[in-house]
């Protein structure tokens, strides 16, 4: 099977709450131009494109149609991918298969979100709008965030069930979630593209933020950001012709379980903290990447954490540490940028969340670490292999990508 | 710097006429007046769904066998809400557990009363405080109390 | 191409008003397909969905569709475009060598919405076209129809006849939602104008429906079917968003997509090598534009082609199934065309069966006036 690598990365100049100075296609084109500029490539070098975002957040159906002229897509095959939070990595995976299949050689991935143009609560609640309406019509008392919010996937209430279950079963306490959030906000201060930065964040400052729905505090929650991310993937042969350095993809996997919402209309059959799809996808990706002991072989991890407890939870489910050990690594300082097992040096999703890009940024950030181009948030240890994790749906989609600094030997 | 204009526009989605699965819910509702929880069981993997499902998620076959599920169960996870969706503080914190009732494989959400929020814990046993005047709706079973 | 990829089977359902839920339709289609093929969900390596949040009225529209499709704990993804693109993605997954089988699930229940035309309306520029309120799917189709007629000097009789042919064919096809027995151009002319020269009977019906299709590698095809249909070529392209910059009387991106598909299939002369075409012409006036772009006749050759030669008994039948004028389950339409082509290639098309069915071209579109197009070539 063909080796596929990432040969270029581009971001919009900032990821912020509101980009008032550009419309959607203009914003996306910034990231596309940035990518072409810093790789020295041009549209003629790209055979096909993959485009991803969650379009209910802006109210524009299939915005790749509108953006096509602005991102040099005319005349090219363009595929639109949308899988909720994991969209960005699902798009990378689609591009991977475009190349691994032999059908294309150089594929550009373009993801974005401009949530300021829509109503994010509508977008999030929209996952279960019919169920919510049915409950209201059935006369169920859904006032109070634990009723209403709990039903809406992705907003604080439903995630609170996951966080609470995680704490109960791992032995971690809410103070660990505070500490994890603080660590990521401090990392974000070193990342020019991050949204919520706080160089002085500590577990104590995070603990001062209000409790939204136990155990989720305001300080644990991701922002909504406007931004776009672009990456160029290429086959080994083409990569050699086009660039000097490549971040290689060694194994990818995805898994979907049932939608663990806990709404009254559909009982949940899985613990939202168990994350079977994460365990399955991780094993599959490790197998394809020839990794037998991820704890030893993976140098760096980027985790999709819309909520701070998820970094700890997914570290365990990805097999990067034993169940119940993640908070101990946090306490020991192992997860810091200069630590033994650095995680989310970028600040993670909890610091920057333009939904369509969030899972993709986990891959691009791993790539930057491998290429030594992460600037101020470059980790201290050498990164030979990195693990990018994406998460989406109603707590049930997990995508995993393993990257390395050399092509995989067959 | 180029000029831009902000255009306020309402995205009128119009009304959607959703059709949602009613079979499993109807079954569950049918037991409400008698203070019974009725789920549906898959004959192949024995998973019991509540509310019932017309198919088994694991086996991918149509299922229809009604089974009664206990109204006593274990708190598998919970959350405590302090404000409503608009951010207005609630008079009292509201405990929302997800409960796995004995004999059932799915977790059901409700509201836990009769216990201080700080005393709630994963693993505690609860039971449904059935409404006195039951109308055959989900409101009949919304409230749980410690066992 | 290292490995050939075949279509092993499909299940489709389309009607003007299905009393069902998305979950139940998904279960019915996939369970039904598995039963037809004598397999269960464990046979399937990967699943690609095609649904659209704007149609389903919910974000991440396939979130509740994974378990009913048998995709529980499987590697799946979603292409938010016409389902023929999901086939292209699934094809690439199998070609990569990682998977031997792929299930496609595409559906929409139009009954959820006030109007299916909102789907295209939401692709419009929110700061400009939506504010002006002049453009919608139908007015755009009207513009395209007028552009075509003016370019080649045709009268409306031609598009009435195209619609009539499709409606006649659809009436013979049990899988279609709408058809009109013995429809004539005159019957079509009785229907009111929606946006002159576009008439009601030139236009697709609002349809609920979907389909499930199983793709397999050539190693597996034999164990599932005696009549595998091979994917010989595929291509996709997109043109400019701005209607004023396109020549609406032609479909440049369809031509590019077709060229890519034919090249991959080793077809240098589609007029001669292709036996029939299933084309996603959502409006009768679009059909000749798309067929010309598919290389099935020369620019301006529509009148000659529709002079009898592209009907079911002709030498190059176009939409022998009746096409989208018979049913347009948005997201599934391109795969409905594919399934119809599969029927033909297997000799199972009943009254719609064309004489020679060995090589077919299948087309799907997305966007206003087919801004983006996908083409697949199939063969026995």
């Amino acid at each position: 099977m063909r080796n596929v690598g990432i040969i270029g990365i581009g971001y919009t100049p900032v990821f912020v709450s509101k980009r008032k100075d550009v419309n959607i296609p203009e914003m996306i084109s910034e990231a596309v131009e940035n990518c072409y500029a810093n790789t020295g490539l041009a549209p003629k070098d790209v055979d096909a494109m993959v485009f991803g975002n969650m379009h209910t957040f802006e109210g524009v159906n299939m915005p790749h149609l509108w953006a096509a002229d602005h991102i040099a897509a005319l005349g090219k095959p363009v595929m639109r991918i949308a899988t909720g939070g994991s969209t960005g990595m699902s798009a990378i995976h689609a591009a991977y298969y475009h190349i691994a299949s032999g059908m294309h050689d150089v594929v550009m991935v373009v993801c974005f979100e401009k949530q300021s143009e829509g109503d994010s609560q509508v977008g999030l609640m929209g996952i279960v709008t019919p169920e919510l309406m049915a409950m209201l019509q059935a006369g169920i008392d859904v006032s109070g965030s634990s009723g209403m919010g709990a039903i809406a996937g992705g907003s604080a209430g439903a995630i609170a069930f996951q966080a609470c279950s995680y704490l109960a079963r791992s032995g971690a306490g809410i103070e660990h979630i505070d500490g994890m959030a603080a660590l990521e906000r401090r990392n974000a201060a070193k990342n020019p593209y991050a949204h919520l930065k706080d160089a002085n964040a500590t577990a104590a400052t995070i603990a001062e933020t209000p409790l939204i729905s136990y155990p989720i505090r305001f300080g644990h929650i991701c922002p909504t950001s406007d931004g776009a991310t672009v990456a160029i993937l290429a086959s080994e042969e083409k990569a050699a012709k086009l660039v000097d350095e490549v971040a290689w993809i060694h194994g990818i996997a995805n898994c979907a379980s049932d939608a663990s919402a806990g709404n009254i209309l559909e009982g949940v059959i899985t613990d939202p903290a168990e994350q079977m799809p994460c365990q399955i996808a991780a094993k599959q990706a490790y197998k394809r990447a020839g990794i037998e002991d991820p704890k030893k072989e993976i140098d760096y991890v980027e985790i999709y954490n819309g909520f701070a407890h998820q970094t700890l939870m997914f570290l365990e489910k990805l097999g990067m540490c034993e169940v119940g050990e993640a908070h101990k690594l946090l306490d020991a300082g192992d997860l810091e940028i200069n630590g033994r097992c650095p995680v989310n040096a970028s600040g993670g999703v909890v610091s920057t969340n333009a939904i369509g890009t969030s899972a993709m940024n986990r891959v691009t950030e791993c790539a930057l670490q491998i290429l030594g181009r992460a600037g101020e948030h470059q980790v201290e240890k050498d990164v030979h292999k990195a693990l990018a994790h994406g998460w989406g749906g109603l707590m049930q989609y997990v995508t995993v990508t393993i990257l390395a600094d050399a092509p995989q030997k067959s | 710097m180029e000029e831009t204009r902000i255009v306020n526009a309402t995205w009128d989605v119009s009304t959607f006429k959703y059709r949602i699965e009613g079979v499993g819910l109807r079954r569950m509702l049918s037991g409400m007046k008698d203070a019974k929880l009725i789920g549906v069981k898959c004959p192949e993997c024995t998973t019991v769904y509540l509310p019932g499902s017309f198919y088994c998620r694991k086996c991918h076959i149509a299922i229809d066998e009604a089974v009664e599920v206990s109204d006593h169960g274990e708190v598998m996870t919970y959350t405590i809400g302090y404000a409503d969706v608009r951010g207005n503080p609630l008079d009292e914190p509201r405990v929302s557990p997800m409960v796995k009732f004995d004999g059932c494989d799915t977790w059901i959400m409700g509201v836990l009363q009769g216990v201080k929020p700080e005393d709630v814990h994963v693993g505690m046993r609860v039971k449904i405080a059935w409404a006195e005047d039951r109308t055959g709706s989900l409101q009949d079973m919304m409230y749980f109390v410690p066992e | 191409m290292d490995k050939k990829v075949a279509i092993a089977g499909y299940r489709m359902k389309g009607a003007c008003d299905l009393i069902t839920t998305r979950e139940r339709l998904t279960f019915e289609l996939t369970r039904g397909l598995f039963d037809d093929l004598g397999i269960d969900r464990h046979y399937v390596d990967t699943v690609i969905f095609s649904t659209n949040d704007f149609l389903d009225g919910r974000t991440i529209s396939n979130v509740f569709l994974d378990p009913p499709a048998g995709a529980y704990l499987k590697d799946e993804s979603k292409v938010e475009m016409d389902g023929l693109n999901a086939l292209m993605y699934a094809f690439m997954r199998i070609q990569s060598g990682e998977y031997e089988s792929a299930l496609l699930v595409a559906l929409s229940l139009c009954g959820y919405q006030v109007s299916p035309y909102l789907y295209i309306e939401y692709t419009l520029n929110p700061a400009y076209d939506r504010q002006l309120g002049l453009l919608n799917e139908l007015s755009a189709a009207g513009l395209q129809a007028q552009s075509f007629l003016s370019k080649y000097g045709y009268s409306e009789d031609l598009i009435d006849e195209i619609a009539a042919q499709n409606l006649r064919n659809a009436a013979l096809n049990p899988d279609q939602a709408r058809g009109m027995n013995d429809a004539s151009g005159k019957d079509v002319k009785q229907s009111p104008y929606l946006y002159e020269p576009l008439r009601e009977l030139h236009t697709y019906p609002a349809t609920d429906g979907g389909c499930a299709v199983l793709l397999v590698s050539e190693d597996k095809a034999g164990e599932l079917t005696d009549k595998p249909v091979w994917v010989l070529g595929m291509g996709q392209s997109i043109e400019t968003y701005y209607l004023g910059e396109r020549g609406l009387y032609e479909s440049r991106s369809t031509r590019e997509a077709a060229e890519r598909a034919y090249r991959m299939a080793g077809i240098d002369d589609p007029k001669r090598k292709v036996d029939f075409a299933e084309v996603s012409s959502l409006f009768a006036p679009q059909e000749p534009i798309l067929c010309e772009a598919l290389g099935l006749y020369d620019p301006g050759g529509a009148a000659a082609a529709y002079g009898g030669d592209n009907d079911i008994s002709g030498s190059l039948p176009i939409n022998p199934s009746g096409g989208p004028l018979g049913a347009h389950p948005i997201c599934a339409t391109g795969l409905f065309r594919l399934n119809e082509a599969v029927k033909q290639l297997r000799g199972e098309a009943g009254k719609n069966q064309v004489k020679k069915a060995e090589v077919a071209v299948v087309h799907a579109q997305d966007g206003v006036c087919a801004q983006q197009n996908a083409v697949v070539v199939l063969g026995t």
Side-chain angles (χ1 to χ4, degrees):
Chain A
M1 196 173 63
R2 291 174 114 197
N3 279 320
V4 180
I6 297 178
I7 63 173
I9 291 167
Y11 292 130
T12 40
V14 288
F15 281 70
V16 291
S17 300
K18 283 194 194 352
R19 284 295 304 275
K20 293 189 199 178
D21 56 327
V22 285
N23 66 17
I24 289 171
E26 288 163 351
M27 186 184 80
I28 304 170
S29 70
E30 288 176 344
V32 172
E33 284 176 36
N34 179 242
C35 186
Y36 279 129
N38 68 34
T39 48
L41 298 177
K44 64 170 175 53
D45 298 313
V46 169
D47 305 329
M49 297 175 78
V50 177
F51 192 101
N53 84 308
M54 288 310 296
H55 58 194
T56 49
F57 286 94
E58 290 85 19
V60 182
N61 188 9
M62 299 189 288
H64 70 283
L65 297 171
W66 183 17
D69 295 78
H70 299 253
I71 59 176
L74 301 189
K76 295 196 204 299
V78 179
M79 186 171 285
R80 178 182 163 73
I81 301 283
T83 56
S86 51
T87 293
M89 206 183 296
S90 299
I92 293 267
H93 288 189
Y96 174 89
Y97 287 115
H98 271 60
I99 299 171
S101 64
M103 294 288 294
H104 300 281
D105 295 322
V106 182
V107 180
M108 175 178 269
V109 182
V110 178
C111 288
F112 85 98
E113 215 64 71
K114 197 163 192 280
Q115 289 171 238
S116 66
E117 289 200 8
D119 184 335
S120 289
Q121 270 300 97
V122 168
L124 288 171
M125 297 282 229
I127 303 174
V128 288
T129 301
E131 283 72 29
L132 198 55
M133 291 303 125
M135 289 192 57
L136 287 172
Q137 284 169 24
I140 306 232
D141 179 7
V142 292
S143 67
S145 67
S146 39
M148 188 77 137
I151 296 157
S155 65
I159 291 297
F161 288 131
Q162 182 188 68
C164 175
S165 180
Y166 172 68
L167 291 181
R169 292 169 221 290
S170 68
I174 193 173
E175 66 276 12
H176 292 108
I177 309 181
D178 299 332
M180 194 69 239
L183 193 165
E184 302 205 46
R185 297 280 163 79
R186 288 196 303 270
N187 287 351
K190 300 186 171 135
N191 180 357
Y193 298 102
H195 182 173
L196 292 182
K197 308 182 212 229
D198 188 352
N200 301 318
T202 61
T205 59
I206 299 287
E208 280 164 16
T209 63
L211 255 180
I212 303 296
S213 198
Y214 175 85
I216 307 285
R217 296 194 208 276
F218 184 74
H220 299 166
I221 303 176
C222 56
T224 59
S225 321
D226 286 352
T229 301
V230 172
I232 301 180
L233 277 65
S235 65
E236 193 170 359
E237 202 184 285
K238 262 293 161 77
K241 294 198 180 108
L242 295 173
V243 295
D244 296 323
E245 285 178 327
V246 182
W248 297 98
I249 295 177
H250 278 204
I252 66 174
N254 170 70
C255 187
S257 82
D258 70 326
S260 319
N263 72 72
I264 199 77
L265 298 179
E266 187 170 281
V268 169
I269 57 169
T270 48
D271 177 351
E274 192 194 353
Q275 293 296 315
M276 273 302 288
C278 181
Q279 298 176 51
I280 294 174
K283 283 205 184 77
Q284 173 79 292
Y286 293 144
K287 188 160 160 232
R288 288 172 173 172
I291 289 183
E292 285 172 5
D293 190 351
K295 288 192 207 77
K296 290 208 182 81
E297 299 175 56
I298 301 285
D299 301 307
Y300 178 74
V301 186
E302 277 277 339
I303 287 180
Y304 190 113
N305 57 344
F307 301 84
H309 71 277
Q310 293 176 324
T311 318
L312 302 169
M313 182 182 80
F314 282 123
L315 263 176
E316 293 171 4
K317 300 306 170 188
L318 290 166
M320 286 303 297
C321 65
E322 302 296 329
V323 173
E325 291 297 306
H327 66 278
K328 297 180 187 165
L329 294 177
L330 174 68
D331 286 339
D334 289 345
L335 306 181
E336 302 269 353
I337 278 185
N338 58 1
R340 210 170 48 86
C341 333
V343 174
N344 286 3
S346 63
V349 179
V350 79
S351 305
T352 310
N353 185 21
I355 294 184
T357 70
S358 292
M360 182 174 173
N361 285 6
R362 313 282 61 77
V363 175
T364 52
E365 286 296 322
C366 280
L368 288 173
Q369 295 285 345
I370 286 174
L371 296 167
R373 293 189 204 151
E376 209 191 327
H377 68 282
Q378 181 74 42
V379 300
E380 249 184 47
K381 59 187 283 204
D382 287 332
V383 179
H384 299 288
K385 289 200 180 156
L387 169 64
H389 155 273
W391 180 75
L394 195 55
M395 306 205 261
Q396 95 257 47
Y397 294 153
V398 171
T399 44
V400 175
T401 305
I402 301 191
L403 298 101
D405 58 2
Q408 200 170 10
K409 309 257 178 277
S410 26
Chain B
M1 163 100 150
E2 264 116 46
E3 248 181 55
T4 61
R5 239 171 22 122
I6 304 240
V7 177
N8 285 323
T10 326
W11 168 38
D12 178 13
V13 195
S14 291
T15 325
F16 280 84
K17 294 176 292 167
Y18 297 104
R19 282 212 178 97
I20 55 166
E21 277 302 317
V23 170
L25 190 59
R26 263 200 294 283
R27 212 168 222 152
M28 196 162 105
L29 292 177
S30 71
M32 293 287 104
K33 275 211 170 127
D34 302 321
K36 283 188 179 0
L37 287 181
I38 301 181
V40 176
K41 177 169 150 182
C42 172
E44 276 187 27
C45 68
T46 69
T47 301
V48 174
Y49 294 92
L50 180 75
S53 178
F54 69 89
Y55 75 102
C56 174
R57 283 165 237 178
K58 298 177 195 167
C59 304
H60 199 237
I61 57 171
I63 60 176
D64 204 33
E65 189 188 315
V67 287
E68 201 181 318
V69 167
S70 162
D71 59 358
H72 288 238
E74 186 183 328
V75 170
M76 304 304 285
T77 182
Y78 65 94
T79 184
I80 305 171
Y82 306 93
D84 67 19
V85 264
R86 282 162 204 77
N88 301 317
L90 296 173
D91 291 334
E92 282 191 10
R94 185 192 192 86
V95 180
S96 228
M98 282 178 66
V99 175
K100 184 165 172 303
F101 290 104
D102 301 335
C104 180
D105 293 292
T106 58
W107 304 0
I108 301 289
M109 196 178 67
V111 179
L112 184 56
Q113 299 185 318
V115 62
K116 289 205 210 90
E118 55 267 27
D119 293 333
V120 180
H121 58 273
V122 169
M124 71 185 276
R125 299 276 313 168
V126 297
K127 64 182 183 192
I128 297 179
W130 292 97
E132 284 214 10
D133 297 312
R134 292 188 288 283
T135 56
S137 85
L138 290 172
Q139 278 293 104
D140 298 340
M141 65 164 279
M142 270 318 296
Y143 298 97
F144 309 154
V145 290
E147 208 173 39
Chain C
M1 217 178 354
D2 289 336
K3 257 195 239 217
K4 286 167 69 178
V5 175
I7 294 148
Y10 69 88
R11 267 262 181 147
M12 60 199 277
K13 188 165 184 175
C16 286
D17 189 12
L18 285 179
I19 310 287
T20 187
T21 61
R22 301 174 320 134
E23 292 81 3
R24 199 172 283 271
L25 180 60
T26 301
F27 179 76
E28 221 180 87
L29 291 168
T30 53
R31 183 74 253 172
L33 177 57
F34 295 158
D35 288 341
D36 291 344
L37 295 173
I39 60 176
D40 66 18
R41 75 181 198 90
H42 299 294
Y43 187 95
V44 176
D45 289 339
T46 185
V47 182
I48 309 287
F49 288 89
S50 169
T51 60
N52 190 301
D53 296 357
F54 282 82
L55 284 169
D56 292 6
R58 56 159 92 225
T59 311
I60 327 176
S61 41
N62 64 318
V63 133
F64 291 113
L65 301 183
D66 295 302
Y72 182 65
L73 295 183
K74 282 197 189 293
D75 192 320
E76 54 80 80
S77 196
K78 177 168 126 232
V79 167
E80 201 161 38
M81 313 164 70
D82 184 283
L84 198 64
N85 296 280
L87 180 142
M88 295 171 76
Y89 186 10
F91 178 93
M92 290 192 271
R93 283 197 170 207
I94 295 177
Q95 279 285 310
S96 75
E98 292 288 358
Y99 304 98
E100 295 285 328
S101 63
L103 175 70
L104 310 175
V105 178
L107 62 96
S108 71
L109 296 183
C110 264
Y112 279 6
Q113 296 179 81
V114 171
S115 147
Y117 312 126
L118 289 176
Y119 176 75
I120 287 293
E121 200 162 323
Y122 291 133
T123 68
L124 296 178
N125 186 328
Y128 186 71
D129 291 311
R130 279 194 226 173
Q131 304 301 310
L132 286 183
L134 294 173
L135 202 57
N136 58 57
E137 187 180 8
L138 297 177
S139 66
L143 287 171
Q144 185 172 45
Q146 186 57 62
S147 177
F148 173 73
L149 293 178
S150 302
K151 173 76 177 174
Y152 297 110
Y154 291 131
S155 83
E156 287 176 37
D157 292 348
L158 173 62
I159 52 181
D160 295 334
E161 184 42 50
I162 293 172
Q165 178 171 291
N166 277 286
L167 289 168
R168 282 194 303 270
N169 292 350
L172 303 171
N173 186 345
D175 287 322
Q176 288 283 27
R178 169 183 84 169
M180 203 187 234
N181 278 310
D182 304 319
S184 70
K186 241 177 86 182
D187 294 320
V188 175
K189 244 190 233 305
Q190 308 295 349
S191 71
Y193 278 130
L194 297 175
Y195 283 87
E196 192 170 340
L198 185 78
R199 291 186 187 277
E200 194 188 312
L201 284 179
H202 294 157
T203 304
Y204 69 84
T207 316
D208 294 334
C211 62
V213 183
L214 188 70
L215 293 182
V216 288
S217 71
E218 61 184 307
D219 298 333
K220 292 264 186 185
E223 66 194 42
L224 293 180
T225 175
D226 300 326
K227 300 179 187 172
V229 171
W230 304 102
V231 177
L232 301 178
M234 52 195 228
Q236 213 229 48
S237 192
I238 192 170
E239 52 197 276
T240 175
Y241 182 68
Y242 300 95
L243 285 188
E245 289 173 34
R246 293 167 57 183
L248 291 179
Y249 52 84
E250 60 178 358
S251 181
R252 179 182 174 156
S253 53
T254 302
R255 187 172 312 119
E256 289 165 356
E259 277 163 13
R260 290 173 179 144
Y262 290 142
R263 195 180 322 128
M264 191 171 147
I267 290 178
D268 51 1
D269 188 357
K271 278 196 216 81
R272 259 170 261 284
K273 300 278 173 56
V274 170
D275 296 326
F276 68 96
E278 282 284 336
V279 177
S280 295
S281 39
L282 306 183
F283 306 95
Q286 271 183 349
E287 196 170 280
I289 298 171
L290 297 168
C291 290
E292 181 234 294
L294 290 170
L296 302 178
Y297 45 81
D298 298 325
Y306 284 93
D309 216 31
N310 62 10
D311 205 344
I312 289 176
S313 53
S315 63
L316 211 174
I318 305 293
N319 283 343
S321 66
L325 258 60
H328 174 39
I330 304 176
C331 284
T333 300
L335 288 179
F336 266 46
R337 305 277 64 69
L338 181 109
N339 298 339
E340 292 290 348
V342 168
K343 266 193 227 171
Q344 296 281 353
L345 292 162
R346 287 179 167 180
E348 291 166 1
K351 296 200 180 116
N352 301 83
Q353 184 70 50
V354 303
K355 280 182 301 214
K356 183 162 181 284
E358 284 161 28
V359 177
V361 66
V362 175
H363 158 273
Q365 64 160 291
D366 274 298
V368 179
C369 294
Q371 182 195 344
Q372 183 172 30
N373 294 279
V375 176
V376 169
V377 178
L378 302 175
T380 50

